[in-house]
Amino acid sequence: MAKLRKHHSSTPCLRVGPSEVHGLGAFATRALPAFALLGIYEGRRYSQQEIAAKVRDGQLTYLFTLSNRETIDGAKGGNGTRHLNHACDPNCEADEEYDDAGQLLLKFQTIAPVNAGDELFIDYCLTADDGPPASDYPCRCGSPNCRGTMLADLG
Ligand SMILES: [Zn+2]
């Protein structure tokens, strides 16, 4: 008998609240060590072709593109992990992993110990295929290493 797949993983380690950096952010509910799992990025999945049409619609808010070119739209069925903000000096990272069914998952984990109440950040490392200026993606993370943009440093 096929085992029922769980469609929404819970994210007990994070809560969503107003961020000082940008809009809403994700915050640690308790102190966490490095490499603690925060949750799986969930949402509706699109193929590369499907997402090309949506990007033209300008619906870009919670998209994550995986290395297999699938895109996950966290605005549809996503969980709290979609509120992790970008920082150039992050305390978390996104990591890809295949599940038992062969689906590529995007896992969020800490990369440094965090305290309860700390805002959680990842480095989005955005790449802009069609080359909009970096000023379209300004970063205000306030880190001493801030690149000033959420785009990946390709230089
Ligand atoms: Zn920054």
Side-chain angles (χ1 to χ4, degrees), residues 12-32:
C13 296
L14 63 85
R15 71 176 173 80
V16 174
S19 163
E20 286 178 20
V21 178
H22 177 79
L24 292 173
F27 298 82
T29 53
R30 56 174 189 261
L32 297 168

Side-chain angles (χ1 to χ4, degrees), residues 118-146:
D118 280 1
E119 184 164 0
L120 304 168
F121 295 100
I122 59 166
D123 187 339
Y124 286 0
C125 285
L126 295 180
T127 50
D129 292 338
D130 47 357
S135 57
D136 280 9
Y137 302 92
C139 180
R140 300 181 190 90
C141 73
S143 148
N145 306 320
C146 185

